[in-house]
Amino acid sequence: QVRLVESGGGLVQPGGSLRLSCAASGFTFSMYAMRWYRQVPGKERELVATIAGNGRSTTYADSVKGRFTISRDNAENTVYLQMNSLRPDDTGVYYCMAIRITAYWGQGTQVTVSS
């Protein structure tokens, strides 16, 4: 059974940092690119960052470049999103997704940036 379980969300003040984790099971993790998305009520889900299966290439949304870093540990079947210099407009539910031919989604973790 495929599972993606996000963790690490919470409430943080502007300028703070959070590290999200997504633990994967039930598929060959290293063969899948991994993505982080975020969504706020009333808006479409936004792609934040992508990492290749071997971890050698990454891409980011313009809004997070220089602040967020996606990484993965294929030995631990886990993908991470390090978020620094957080802003209120980074608030949302963050989802991880595994994609190759099919796509698998996690259940999401809430990130709230507020003073």
Side-chain angles (χ1 to χ4, degrees):
Q1 180 182 1
V2 172
R3 291 192 71 199
L4 293 171
V5 181
E6 299 97 334
S7 60
L11 173 64
V12 63
Q13 291 188 342
S17 298
L18 283 175
R19 189 193 195 202
L20 305 183
S21 300
C22 173
S25 60
F27 62 99
T28 306
F29 182 71
S30 62
M31 297 185 73
Y32 283 70
M34 297 297 298
R35 295 176 175 174
W36 285 98
Y37 285 79
R38 65 186 179 192
Q39 188 167 28
V40 296
K43 292 188 176 181
E44 290 189 359
R45 201 167 286 191
E46 174 191 17
L47 176 59
V48 174
T50 301
I51 187 167
N54 59 14
R56 292 178 183 172
S57 66
T58 57
T59 58
Y60 297 91
D62 287 343
S63 58
V64 306
K65 279 181 183 176
R67 301 187 299 121
F68 290 12
T69 302
I70 188 171
S71 62
R72 66 191 295 159
D73 184 340
N74 284 351
E76 296 293 330
N77 288 358
T78 302
V79 62
Y80 304 97
L81 186 67
Q82 178 67 44
M83 305 186 295
N84 299 328
S85 302
L86 282 161
R87 310 184 306 215
D89 62 357
D90 293 317
T91 294
V93 179
Y94 283 71
Y95 299 89
C96 68
M97 184 184 77
I99 184 165
R100 190 182 180 197
I101 297 173
T102 54
Y104 305 118
W105 289 91
Q107 84 290 347
T109 186
Q110 176 71 45
V111 171
T112 302
V113 185
S114 175
S115 54

